[in-house]
């Protein structure tokens, strides 16, 4: 109902933790000369060219395992489609369980491959306003401990962090109750400061999407949440607005917060937003969508730092339109996203 739902990936983050050990074993087997370009034993996933896409491709992520299974089953055409997802770097959503271990594992895997880990923190208290991805840390102290764990896990290794999708947006769209506002501002500002205290970590504070409202409504809240200390902001996380519309929104907002650059989630925006059905459910597993521009830092726009796949294509937005719980891998939806995209 807020035009920003679809962020949730809680179950999917747990899945990331499960496959982490295998991913690190595979990445760690690469020689120092090939810097992680050795394909894994199952799906043959390699890293993208570093000069245009410096982010880490997890060689044993959910999509990669799906490719391996499809190949084993002799379903080559489907495997080729899912490979469009598996061969691109996607965000690793850090779950509350053992955040230090997860952050360390992902950044070590990325560092061994000569790449940068893309991490997403989505654990703010009172998260998602009771929607499909409701939850988050129990209180402010639990959240601070979570961020501390992530920071310890990252250490001096390269990382780019997308900080709390929708957290600022929900302070201004009427979703998060007023009694939680001051604490949230404090927690976000503290998280930015903590992560920016690391040697090689970039932080992008989430700033909603092109469809929710007016940038005039969010620029002051972003300042209160620590945008001045962050590297920039993120837009369109887990959403479907076109890259063109997202750039326009980002530039309007950037002009109000000191010219800060931004990153765009292009993971599923290939066909733009869904415009049919009930308006309050258009964000949730919409049909007919497609993968968007592949991740890259070569955007041809000085204000756009990168196109990223923050939301992992193929993971459900929630239990709507026949989908599983938020964040769970949905093979049929993943296949449709891939089939709908250009080669």
């Amino acid at each position: 109902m807020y035009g920003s739902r679809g962020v949730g990936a809680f179950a999917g983050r747990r899945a990331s933790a499960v496959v982490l050990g295998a991913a690190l074993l595979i990445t760690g087997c690469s020689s120092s000369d090939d810097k992680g370009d050795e394909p894994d034993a199952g799906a043959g996933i390699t890293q993208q060219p570093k000069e245009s896409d410096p982010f880490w491709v997890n060689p044993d992520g959910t999509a990669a395992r799906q490719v391996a299974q499809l190949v084993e089953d002799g379903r080559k055409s489907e495997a080729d489609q899912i490979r469009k997802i598996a061969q691109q770097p996607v965000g690793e959503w850090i779950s509350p369980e053992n955040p230090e271990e997860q952050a360390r594992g992902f950044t070590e895997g990325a560092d061994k491959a000569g790449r940068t880990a893309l991490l997403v923190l989505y654990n703010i208290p009172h998260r998602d306003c009771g929607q499909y991805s409701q939850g988050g840390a129990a209180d402010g102290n639990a959240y601070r401990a979570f961020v501390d764990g992530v920071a310890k896990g990252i250490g001096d290794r390269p990382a780019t962090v997308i900080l709390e999708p929708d957290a600022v947006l929900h302070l201004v769209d009427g979703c998060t109750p007023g009694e939680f506002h001051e604490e949230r501002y404090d927690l976000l500002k503290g998280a930015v400061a903590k992560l920016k205290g690391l040697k090689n970590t970039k932080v992008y504070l989430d700033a909603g999407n092109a469809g929710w409202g007016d940038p005039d409504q969010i620029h002051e809240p972003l300042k209160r949440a620590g945008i001045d200390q962050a590297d920039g902001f993120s837009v369109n996380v887990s959403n479907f607005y076109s890259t063109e519309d997202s750039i326009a929104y980002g530039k309007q907002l950037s002009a109000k917060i000191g010219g800060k650059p931004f990153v765009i989630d292009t993971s599923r925006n290939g066909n733009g937003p869904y415009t049919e059905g009930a308006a309050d459910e258009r964000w949730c597993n919409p049909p007919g969508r497609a993968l968007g521009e592949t991740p890259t830092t070569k955007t041809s726009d000085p204000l756009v730092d990168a196109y990223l796949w923050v939301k992992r294509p193929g993971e459900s937005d929630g239990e709507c339109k026949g989908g599983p719980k938020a964040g769970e891998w949905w093979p049929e939806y993943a296949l449709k996203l891939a089939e709908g995209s250009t080669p």
Side-chain angles (χ1 to χ4, degrees):
M1 65 188 293
Y2 296 99
S4 58
R5 301 278 53 78
V7 162
F10 193 70
R13 286 178 282 153
R14 289 200 297 268
S16 285
V18 171
V19 304
L20 178 58
L24 293 182
L25 283 175
I26 291 168
T27 308
C29 287
S30 301
S31 71
S32 58
D33 292 333
D34 61 31
K35 294 299 286 182
D37 287 335
E38 180 72 22
D40 70 283
I45 302 302
T46 58
Q47 302 300 320
Q48 292 293 325
K50 188 174 182 179
E51 60 272 14
S52 61
D53 188 357
F55 301 102
W56 181 55
V57 179
N58 186 339
D60 196 45
T62 309
R65 290 186 286 118
Q66 179 77 51
V67 170
Q69 185 61 56
L70 289 169
V71 170
E72 183 177 333
D73 293 344
R75 297 158 67 182
K76 184 180 182 300
S77 62
E78 292 182 24
D80 289 343
Q81 291 294 331
I82 299 299
R83 191 180 298 277
K84 294 178 183 178
I85 299 172
Q87 69 186 8
Q88 298 297 334
V90 296
E92 301 289 357
W93 297 60
I94 304 296
S95 66
E97 300 85 9
N98 303 312
E100 181 178 347
E101 179 182 353
Q102 292 173 68
R104 179 177 294 111
F106 290 131
T107 54
E108 283 182 349
D111 196 40
K112 288 176 182 177
R115 301 302 193 276
T116 297
L118 177 62
L119 308 178
V120 188
L121 303 194
Y122 185 55
N123 192 38
I124 202 77
H126 317 293
R127 185 187 67 202
D128 204 38
C129 311
Q131 301 289 314
Y132 289 118
S133 298
Q134 63 183 290
D139 54 34
N141 287 334
Y143 185 75
R144 293 183 185 95
F146 168 75
V147 173
D148 286 347
V150 171
K152 289 178 182 177
I154 294 173
D156 288 344
R157 289 177 291 276
T160 292
V161 177
I162 307 300
L163 184 60
E164 295 300 335
D166 281 352
V168 178
L169 173 60
H170 285 165
L171 291 171
V172 296
D173 69 359
C175 182
T176 301
E179 62 264 31
F180 304 131
H181 286 199
E182 289 304 318
E183 178 188 59
R184 179 168 295 186
Y185 281 124
D186 181 68
L187 293 176
L188 291 171
K189 192 169 186 178
V192 172
K194 183 73 176 184
L195 294 165
K196 283 305 300 173
L198 302 175
K199 184 177 179 180
N200 292 304
T201 296
K202 290 185 176 182
V203 179
Y204 292 88
L205 182 61
D206 191 65
N209 58 74
W212 81 273
D214 192 326
D216 280 340
Q217 299 171 267
I218 200 172
H219 67 92
E220 287 297 336
L222 282 170
K223 291 177 182 177
R224 292 182 63 185
I227 190 63
D228 288 347
Q229 193 172 354
D231 292 276
F233 58 96
S234 58
V235 300
N236 205 48
V237 170
S238 295
N239 223 299
F240 302 87
Y241 291 96
S242 71
T243 302
E244 182 181 8
D245 288 346
S246 296
I247 290 174
Y249 170 77
K251 286 187 172 182
Q252 291 178 48
L253 184 52
S254 174
K256 299 176 184 297
I257 52 175
K260 285 284 186 177
F262 55 98
V263 297
I264 302 170
D265 185 354
T266 60
S267 57
R268 305 184 298 175
N269 73 346
N271 285 339
Y274 186 58
T275 58
E276 301 178 22
D280 61 350
E281 286 278 314
R282 287 173 180 168
W283 58 268
C284 191
N285 299 323
R289 300 310 93 192
L291 304 174
E293 288 98 337
T294 53
T296 183
T297 54
K298 303 290 187 181
T299 67
S300 301
D301 193 310
L303 276 178
V304 183
D305 279 353
Y307 300 145
L308 303 175
W309 285 9
V310 182
K311 168 74 174 184
R312 295 188 291 203
E315 290 185 353
S316 176
D317 293 317
E319 295 173 276
C320 61
K321 301 181 181 71
K325 292 181 179 179
E328 290 188 5
W329 180 254
W330 189 3
E332 295 82 6
Y333 197 77
L335 184 60
K336 290 176 182 177
L337 285 172
E339 290 175 339
S341 64
T342 57

